[in-house]
Structure formats: C-alpha cells, structure tokens
Amino acid sequence: MTPLLEVRDLRISFPRDGTTPLVPVDDVSFEVHRGELVALVGESGCGKSLTGLAIPRLLPDNASLGSSTRITMDGTELVTLSESAMRPWRGRRIAMVFQDPMASLNPVMRVGAQIGEAITAHQSVPAPEVRRRAIALLAEVGIADPAERVDAYPHQLSGGMRQRVMIAMALAGEPSLLIADEPTTALDVTVQAQILELLDRLRRERGLAVLLITHDLGIVAGRADRVLVMYGGRIVEAAETTPLFAAPAHPYTRGLFASIPRLTGDGGRLVPIAGTVPPPDQWPEGCRFHPRCPVAIAQCAAERPPLAPVGDHHLAACWVAAGRTP
Amino acid sequence: MTGWLLRRSVDALLTTVLATVAVIALVHLLPGDPLTAIVGDRAIDPVQRAALEQTWGTNRPPLDAIGVTLSHLLRGDLGISFATQRPVATMIAERIGPTLLLGGLTLLLTFAIGLSLGLWSALHPTTLRARLIGTATLIGYALPTFVIGMLLVWGLAVRSPLLPSGGFADPLLSPDAGGAAVLLDRLQHLALPLLTMVLATVAVPLRQQRAAALGTAAQPWVLAARARGVPQARLAWHHVWRPALTPIVTLVGLWLPMLVAGAVFVEALFSWPGLGSLLATGTTQRDVPVVIGAGLLLVAMVQVGSLIADVLYHLVDPAQRPR
Amino acid sequence: MKSAAAGLGLLAALLLLALLGPLVAMDPNLQPALGDGTLAAPSIAHWLGTDQWSRDVFARLAHGARASLLVAVVAVSVAALLGVIIGLAAGVAGPWMAGVLRRVIDVGLALPRVVVLLVLLAALGTLPLPLFAVVLGVTGWPSLARLVRGEALRLRHAPFVAAARALGASPVRVAFREILPGALPPLLVAAAFGTADAMLLEAGLSFLGLGIRPPSPSWGGMLLEARDYLGTAPWLLLAPGIALVLATATATLLGDALRRSLTPDQR
C-alpha cells in the first residue's frame, strides 16, 4: 500500500553570513502510512521539530531545502508547490499541534473563532454551521460544556483544555495527517496521559495518521506503531515499537533507554550518555554520535554509516550494530 | 466593570479638581500681592477692583481666595478678560470648537496613519520603504512643531501658493457662497495646521505599533494559525495587529499632553482661533483670567481624554474584562 | 557607538558656537546698513546673511546659542533639584506623607507643562533671563520626581539600605547617601532628554514672544521674525531652524548613549 506521506532526503539548511550554511537536518527519509502513529524521537537540537515543520512547509523564510529533497503526500509533491498552492493543504490535509498551548493560541480571540478559522479557511460555511461544528469538535476532544467553552478566551482555560482545543483546531479541517510537536511537554503528567489517550482514540475513530515528535521515550511505548530515533539531524534507528524497545540496536538508543529512571529493577545508578550534544555547526565527521559512543571503532570516525537492517523491519545507522564494515 | 469605571472617573475628577486648585493657587502663592499678579501694570478703577475681589478673592487669605474662585468656576464664571472686557467663559466657548476640530482630526489621522504604517513596517521590516518611513517620522518628531509648520508654510503657501498660510476661514468669502465652497475653504485652511500636527507626532504611534507588531508577529500563535491555513490578510489583522493593540491604546493617554503643547504653538503660528492661541495671546497680554480659564479647560480635556483612553484599554484587552 | 560619537561631535560644535562664536562674530544688535544691507543673502562678509534690520545672522545665531544653552542647563538643573527632593521624599517617607506626595506628583503630571508655564508667565510678566530659566525649570519637576520616586521605592528594600539604617543612619542621610546614588543613572538619562525638552520649550516661548525678549537674540525669536520673510529671505528660517534641530538632536543622541551605557537592562 502506498504510504500517505513519503519524505526523501530531507535536508534543511540556513545560510549564514561569511561562512558555510547551517544544516540542522541532513538526509532524513521516512514514511507514514494511513492510520499509523509514527514517533520521531530525539533530544532537543536533533532537528526533529524542523523536520515536522518542513512537511507543511512552515519553515522560516531563510530556510532552504536540499535539491534532492522530496516530500510527497498522496502522490502530490509538496516541495515544488507555491505558497498559495500550499495553503489549501495546511489545516485541511496536514494539521499541526504545537508544544505550548498557551502561546499557540491567540490571546485576544475566542477559542471558537480560532477553531472556526480552520474551517472557513478552506470551505465556505455559514456562521451558525461553523459554530455548531466547533462545539461538536470541542465535545469530541473531551471538553465539558462545549457550548459555553466555545466562547471562552484562552486564558480562561486550563493547560490541558487548551491543548485539547489545539487538537480540536487541528481536526477541524478533517486532515489525513496530524503532526504533533511535543504535544504534552508543557503539561502535567496526568494530563499528558489523557492527551495521548485522546490522540490514540481519534486516530482509531478517524483513521488519522499521526507523526508524534517527542523527546520522551516513555510516552511512545504502547502507543506508537513505529519509532524513528534522530540524532544530529539524521535518523539513526528506525523500527516497529516492540522490537525497538526489546532490542535497541544503535548505541544512542541504548543510551536513551539506559538513562530512563525505572520504578522497578534494582534501583542502580542512572547511566547518562557521556558528553553533550554538539551544536549544529560542530557536528563531527563520519558517524555523528561517535565521540560519545561507548563502542565506537575507527570506522565510525571515518565514514558515515548508512541505515542498514539489523533485524526484521529494524534499521540502524551504526557500523557496529550492523556488524559489518563496508 | 462599572465599579472600576466609577473609581476611575472619581480619580479623574479628583485629579482635575486638585489640578485646578493648583493652578489657582499658583497665582496666589507667587511673591507679591495676588492682585498685582492678576492685574499687572494696568490701572483699574474701583468697580473693576471690586469685581476682581469678588471673583478671585484677592483681598482674602489664600485658602479663602481659592475657595471663592472655585465656587465661581463651578458656576461657570471665570472672570472678565482685561483685553476684551468680555466674560472669559464666553471667549473660551467660542474657541473650543476649532481646537477640538484640529485636535480631534490630528488624533484620528495620526493614529490611523501611524498604526497602519507601523503595522506595515513590522510585516515588511527589511524593505527600504520601511526604513525610510522610520527615519522620516523620527526627523518629524525631532523637529519642533512650529519649525515644521514654518517649513510647510514656506513650501506650500509661499513658494508655491497652494494653501493659505493661516486663519480659519477666508474673510473675503461671500456669505452667500454655497456649502461646497465654504467646505472647501475650511478644508484649505485646516490643511497646513493639521499636516503640521500630524507630522510632528505621528512618530509616536508608528514606532510603538511597529515594535508591538514585531513582537506579536514572532509569537507562536501566528505560526499555529498559519498551520491551520489562515490566509495572509487575516493573519496580519487578527493575529498580528489585534493582539498588539492593547499597549497602543495606553499611548493615547500619554500623547494627549504632547497634543496640547503642539496645539499652543501651531495655533499661534497659523492664527488658528482655538484655545491654544487664546492661551498664547492671553499670556502675551498678561490677561490672567483668560490664561487661567483656557488653561484649566485644556487640563480638564486632557483628563477626559486620558479617562476615555483607559476605558478603551479595558475594552480592548479581554483579560481585563470581568466575566 | 555611532549615536554617542555623533552626539559628542554635535555637542562640540554646539559648544564651539556658543562659547567662541560670540567672541568671533560681530555685535548681534548692530544695524549697520539699514538702507540696502537688509535681508542680504549669505556672503563672505555675512556668513549667514543679514536680517530685516541688517543685523548679522551668524552673530545672532551664536549669541542665541549661548542664551539657549544657558537657559536649558539652568532649567534642567532646577527641575532636577526639585524632582529629586520631592521624588526622594515620596519614595522614603512614611505611609501618610508618601501617599500625599504621590498624589502631588500625579497632579503635577496631569498638568501639561506648557499650560503651567503660560499661567506663571502671564502672572509674572517680563522676566530677566536667569529668572525665566528658573521658572522654566520649576515646571519640569513632575516627570523627574516620578522617576526618582520609582527608583527610591525600588531601592528602599535593598540590603545596603537596611544595613545603613541598622548602623543608625537617619532617614534623610539614607535617602541622600544610599538611595540617591542608585537613582542617578536613570536620572542623568532623563536629564539629557529633559535638556532637549527645555530647549524646545524655550525656543517655542521665545517664538511666542514670551521667552528671551527682543532685542536679545534667541533662536525662537529669530524664527518668529523669519515668518514675514519666508519667500524673500529663507535663510532667516533655515539658520535658527537647523541650529535648533541639531541642538535638540545632540541632547537626544547623548541621552540615548547614556541610557545604553548607564542603564543597559532598562528599556
């Protein structure tokens, strides 16, 4: 079955005065199928948010895509579309939910109006019908008293409710793909679970594909169908969730798992990953993780490892994990 | 909301009363005899002296005198002008209209132009036009108002006589001239003083709006709205301009005293028959009753304007509105 | 910093004009050639031309510069003095007095400066120049007082103030020795901008015939006289006009530079 979304050779660069451009995302390729929940996991600075923004072409004006970059959705190539040709896709086929629901909602506009915008931006719908749909969406995302809440201002709602509103706004256009960039990071732990539950339910009920961008491996377990691990602007491991959690192949992924505190187990020391993430203009040659890698070999510094199979539907970009040299 | 409005109005009223007392007290607290302060070097007859004592309480201790004057003020009696021998209240009433006209139109134009250019500059910050606008308004702000006025008179009334260089109306215009002719004449006379005032003060709302809009344009909700497919025009209006509005409204209250100062000099330069020029000529003639009367009215107008601006601020910022 | 350099350069030029100009130029009140020497365009003999009484414009400009600077400096000093006293008192006094003084400052701010000035000038009549400068300064205290009061409120809870009180310093001493120095930086910035305001006000008043009285030269007075000769002798407008703009630009640029260097964390 053809994938809903295909990203090939995504490369994002920013020009800099007097020196080489900054390339925070380099050669990222993946697919998302209808109804799938794909998690894009990585620390801050690895380029995952930029990857998410690239799909609906919401990158800053000074960003350039690589010449071989292709972003294809339902057969249409998005990279070559003009801005006015792109706008009908946003909200309508591709929707985004952002990290900070307070800052992502216009403080002087009622939430109902903001949801309504997502509808009227793409269809000509009479006002009473827009309002009815907005109330229905609020109910669908689990907000109590939707008929009253629809006239509320963002500051009158709690953090969890605001994020639900954001999801309602995202659903208003009936998209096929929802990109959620750290949707729960700004929320309390209990609310986090509720929001993720909501996303899951909507996915099942509407057949929505979800690209979940997060740094938190914990929320990925039991929800994502597939996981993509990013480091240094590249994908270093890609697998279905269960095999990844059972046997992470890439040393970085292993390091991530090892540094998660566990309630069970022998309560040993947390094992952090040595070193820190270098800034995007100081990525090392070869495998970008090699200076911090506990099992690095000479090969790793010299040549960049490609994504290679290390198991069933399980890819990793690591010379050691793939057990081979070129 | 009404509770707050009541308190704010009482506050404005109190400040106005205190300001009035302060102005009256100025005259009485100056070194020397208050009568001399009011009369100056003029010779006055016993009738005039009696009238002055009545209205200004010049023969009584300062506190009593202030009370006397206040009570007269409340009854609308501001004394008699030395220069014209007419009641000050009448003179002021004649002059309010032109000042409100000039001031009101200045307010409208300055904010309309300032806000729209400021928004445009924020949305297209790197263009040459935006930078030129910024520099031009700054120069206008730095130039004294009457210098701008004279430059305009020189350019548009003297070198190329397009517009009249002063006055409110053409004295030679026939009284039978039709409404259109009268309107055109009024507009022509309004043009230069209005242009002067606008050029002198447009920098303030423009720069404030630009800064505010630059701030809001960078906010996450704008990106979120774009992600919903909201078109550019709607983005600019609802998501960039509207949230930036709240600090702009407070500007009006601060800008009003600037307007008063400008009004005095511009009205004097253009012989515009308003309160400002009345204040200026009254001071030159040492016509204290007129100066105090006109001055107090201007103070009251500034307070009212500031109150209106505060009310607007509360209406514009939904976080302030009680629910 | 470009603006600081520009400001200092302009200040140097201004001081040069005001201090040395009158020494170099001819008598500004001299009317040597009433017949055909009036309204002469700029030339070698008269660098900026002559006015309607054949007086040398450059000389009048230079003397006017001196007068304007003097008035502005005196006015700002008076305003600062008053502002500091009232503002400090309002910031450090006990609750009742502080409330009263706050109301006083509010009323002071509610009165447009121009209005108060005109009332005073109407009541006082023609004043000698130093007194005029003082009166101009007296009307400028409210905004400085508000600033100083704000700083005093901010600083009164600072540890070093508490330490001084603990050592037995009287409130007055604390106010002047501990709090005032902390309020100085923003005060200096405000004083620089206040100098520009004072210069503009003085020019405006002289333009109305209420400031520096003729025949003493003043930029405002020169602008007033230029009104009738805009078509025939535009240099009468341009010389004092440009000088006034440059002088206020000097104060503004220096104020900006001071603000950036003295109060980097404030707007």
Side-chain angles (χ1 to χ4, degrees):
Chain A
M1 192 168 79
T2 46
L4 175 67
L5 175 74
E6 258 191 86
V7 176
R8 293 265 161 264
D9 300 337
L10 177 63
R11 185 174 190 276
I12 303 174
S13 62
F14 291 91
R16 284 185 297 179
D17 284 334
T19 177
T20 52
L22 201 61
V23 187
V25 174
D26 188 12
D27 192 21
V28 165
S29 303
F30 62 92
E31 296 169 354
V32 179
H33 294 260
R34 266 165 248 285
E36 253 199 319
L37 195 153
V38 175
L40 185 57
V41 178
E43 299 170 79
S44 32
C46 71
K48 55 191 198 297
S49 289
L50 284 173
T51 305
L53 283 172
I55 296 168
R57 303 263 309 281
L58 286 174
L59 292 169
D61 288 336
N62 60 338
S64 327
L65 297 175
S67 53
S68 58
T69 298
R70 299 281 173 266
I71 301 174
T72 318
M73 184 156 165
D74 262 342
T76 310
E77 181 50 57
L78 299 181
V79 170
T80 49
L81 289 181
S82 68
E83 175 66 17
S84 53
M86 192 66 218
R87 194 170 71 71
W89 286 78
R90 296 193 192 117
R92 178 85 182 75
R93 311 285 296 278
I94 308 171
M96 269 193 91
V97 174
F98 295 90
Q99 175 174 336
D100 184 353
M102 188 62 218
S104 301
L105 288 172
N106 186 332
V108 299
M109 207 190 246
R110 299 180 204 270
V111 299
Q114 299 191 49
I115 297 176
E117 271 185 333
I119 301 172
T120 52
H122 303 290
Q123 309 167 274
S124 167
V125 177
E129 173 66 15
V130 172
R131 188 182 168 81
R132 194 193 62 78
R133 287 199 207 174
I135 296 176
L137 281 164
L138 287 176
E140 193 178 344
V141 297
I143 289 185
D145 293 322
E148 278 192 38
R149 296 276 188 234
V150 77
D151 288 324
Y153 286 99
H155 68 273
Q156 296 169 305
L157 305 173
S158 71
M161 285 166 80
R162 282 181 225 137
Q163 194 58 298
R164 290 177 194 266
V165 166
M166 289 235 50
I167 295 173
M169 284 199 293
L171 295 175
E174 318 234 339
S176 358
L177 172 66
L178 177 68
I179 304 173
D181 188 355
E182 307 265 18
T184 56
T185 309
L187 303 171
D188 296 335
V189 169
T190 44
V191 181
Q192 275 186 19
Q194 293 170 1
I195 297 296
L196 292 168
E197 251 313 302
L198 173 62
L199 282 176
D200 221 8
R201 175 166 66 79
L202 292 169
R203 181 165 70 92
R204 280 177 280 128
E205 288 175 1
R206 288 172 169 244
L208 195 60
V210 177
L211 179 64
L212 179 64
I213 301 174
T214 179
H215 64 275
D216 187 350
L217 270 175
I219 67 175
V220 166
R223 295 191 204 279
D225 298 310
R226 278 191 298 127
V227 180
L228 308 165
V229 181
M230 264 185 92
Y231 182 83
R234 296 176 177 159
I235 296 184
V236 297
E237 190 161 357
E240 288 176 8
T241 316
T242 319
L244 184 84
F245 275 67
H250 195 283
Y252 175 61
T253 319
R254 290 186 175 182
L256 283 181
F257 277 107
S259 55
I260 298 175
R262 289 177 208 285
L263 285 175
T264 55
D266 57 13
R269 297 185 68 187
L270 288 178
V271 183
I273 305 175
T276 52
V277 182
D281 51 354
Q282 289 172 32
W283 292 124
E285 291 295 311
C287 169
R288 287 185 170 170
F289 186 63
H290 84 258
R292 306 172 66 189
C293 180
V295 299
I297 56 179
Q299 189 61 41
C300 304
E303 226 179 303
R304 180 194 157 183
L307 273 171
V310 293
D312 198 20
H313 286 109
H314 191 155
L315 302 169
C318 177
W319 297 122
V320 175
R324 59 194 190 109
T325 52
Chain B
M1 172 72 163
T2 37
W4 169 84
L5 183 61
L6 204 61
R7 270 178 312 211
R8 180 70 184 80
S9 308
V10 166
D11 203 63
L13 192 62
L14 189 61
T15 310
T16 313
V17 167
L18 287 173
T20 307
V21 169
V23 170
I24 300 171
L26 270 178
V27 170
H28 286 276
L29 295 174
L30 286 174
D33 167 31
L35 190 65
T36 316
I38 296 175
V39 169
D41 313 317
R42 298 180 182 86
I44 50 170
D45 58 42
V47 176
Q48 283 177 309
R49 172 186 235 103
L52 283 173
E53 283 173 5
Q54 242 248 333
T55 319
W56 299 96
T58 47
N59 56 336
R60 298 155 81 159
L63 279 176
D64 284 353
I66 293 174
V68 164
T69 313
L70 263 180
S71 65
H72 275 268
L73 253 177
L74 286 170
R75 279 178 276 159
D77 175 15
L78 291 147
I80 309 287
S81 156
F82 286 121
T84 63
Q85 296 301 314
R86 299 169 64 214
V88 172
T90 318
M91 291 177 72
I92 289 180
E94 290 166 356
R95 301 274 205 154
I96 291 186
T99 295
L100 280 178
L101 180 66
L102 185 59
L105 283 177
T106 302
L107 182 73
L108 275 167
L109 275 181
T110 307
F111 274 78
I113 296 176
L115 295 189
S116 50
L117 281 183
L119 179 67
W120 187 89
S121 298
L123 294 173
H124 308 85
T126 48
T127 59
L128 182 65
R129 229 193 296 177
R131 276 193 271 247
L132 278 175
I133 292 174
T135 317
T137 53
L138 203 55
I139 293 177
Y141 182 67
L143 283 169
T145 38
F146 54 97
V147 171
I148 298 177
M150 284 211 282
L151 284 171
L152 284 176
V153 169
W154 181 37
L156 296 172
V158 173
R159 283 180 60 128
S160 21
L162 296 169
L163 292 164
S165 61
F168 183 72
D170 187 346
L172 300 174
L173 191 66
S174 155
D176 306 321
V182 170
L183 184 63
L184 183 64
D185 178 58
R186 295 282 183 277
L187 284 176
Q188 280 181 317
H189 281 90
L190 188 56
L192 283 182
L194 186 58
L195 190 57
T196 306
M197 296 274 266
V198 170
L199 282 175
T201 53
V202 75
V204 176
L206 192 146
R207 297 180 85 80
Q208 180 75 1
Q209 170 73 89
R210 187 178 68 173
L214 279 175
T216 53
Q219 291 295 328
W221 68 74
V222 178
L223 184 64
R226 251 186 98 200
R228 296 200 281 281
V230 175
Q232 185 68 13
R234 201 185 149 87
L235 272 178
W237 179 262
H238 279 96
H239 295 280
V240 175
W241 185 75
R242 186 67 184 65
L245 193 56
T246 38
I248 303 299
V249 179
T250 54
L251 251 194
V252 177
L254 299 168
W255 177 85
L256 278 171
M258 218 194 315
L259 188 63
V260 168
V264 171
F265 297 119
V266 168
E267 286 189 12
L269 174 65
F270 287 99
S271 310
W272 186 259
L275 286 175
S277 53
L278 181 63
L279 200 56
T281 49
T283 310
T284 318
Q285 296 167 330
R286 294 198 61 194
D287 198 351
V288 172
V290 165
V291 172
I292 290 188
L296 285 178
L297 186 58
L298 283 171
V299 169
M301 283 163 73
V302 168
Q303 284 299 304
V304 169
S306 172
L307 177 63
I308 294 177
D310 269 359
V311 170
L312 280 177
Y313 177 77
H314 265 64
L315 287 176
V316 155
D317 186 358
Q320 306 272 4
R321 266 184 266 169
R323 283 234 132 216
Chain C
M1 237 187 317
K2 281 188 299 190
S3 61
L8 284 172
L10 281 176
L11 180 65
L14 186 63
L15 286 174
L16 208 65
L17 177 67
L19 296 174
L20 294 182
L23 300 173
V24 168
M26 55 187 75
D27 183 338
N29 293 314
L30 194 64
Q31 304 176 7
L34 279 171
D36 54 355
T38 61
L39 301 177
S43 61
I44 308 289
H46 295 281
W47 297 345
L48 292 173
T50 64
D51 67 1
Q52 71 275 26
W53 303 112
S54 75
R55 292 176 297 194
D56 181 51
V57 173
F58 174 75
R60 293 186 70 75
L61 197 73
H63 279 85
R66 197 180 266 200
S68 291
L69 269 184
L70 257 162
V71 169
V73 168
V74 169
V76 166
S77 311
V78 169
L81 190 63
L82 276 177
V84 162
I85 293 174
I86 299 178
L88 269 183
V92 306
W96 181 81
M97 183 54 120
V100 166
L101 285 173
R102 187 179 74 83
R103 184 56 86 171
V104 166
I105 296 179
D106 277 344
V107 172
L109 287 168
L111 290 166
R113 193 173 177 182
V114 173
V115 169
V116 178
L117 259 174
L118 289 177
V119 169
L120 282 173
L121 290 174
L124 292 169
T126 314
L127 295 170
L129 196 60
L131 205 52
F132 169 72
V134 168
V135 169
L136 184 59
V138 159
T139 55
W141 66 265
S143 58
L144 290 174
R146 174 172 65 173
L147 188 146
V148 171
R149 173 177 175 266
E151 291 295 300
L153 287 177
R154 186 175 68 88
L155 291 168
R156 74 192 293 194
H157 298 293
F160 60 87
V161 172
R165 295 297 300 273
L167 286 171
S170 71
V172 172
R173 192 188 160 88
V174 167
F176 280 98
R177 293 291 302 266
E178 309 291 339
I179 294 181
L180 183 56
L184 266 182
L187 185 63
L188 281 174
V189 173
F193 290 121
T195 312
D197 287 337
M199 256 192 288
L200 283 173
L201 267 176
E202 176 271 308
L205 288 170
S206 304
F207 176 77
L208 292 176
L210 296 166
I212 300 172
R213 305 283 177 148
S216 290
S218 74
W219 291 345
M222 291 168 78
L223 284 167
L224 176 63
E225 289 169 8
R227 268 185 80 177
D228 298 323
Y229 303 101
L230 286 178
T232 45
W235 56 90
L236 294 181
L237 162 67
L238 292 172
I242 293 177
L244 187 57
V245 169
L246 288 177
T248 47
T250 308
T252 313
L253 284 169
L254 287 176
D256 256 344
L258 276 175
R259 179 173 59 191
R260 268 195 288 263
S261 61
L262 291 179
T263 62
D265 43 310
Q266 296 179 21
R267 254 179 33 87

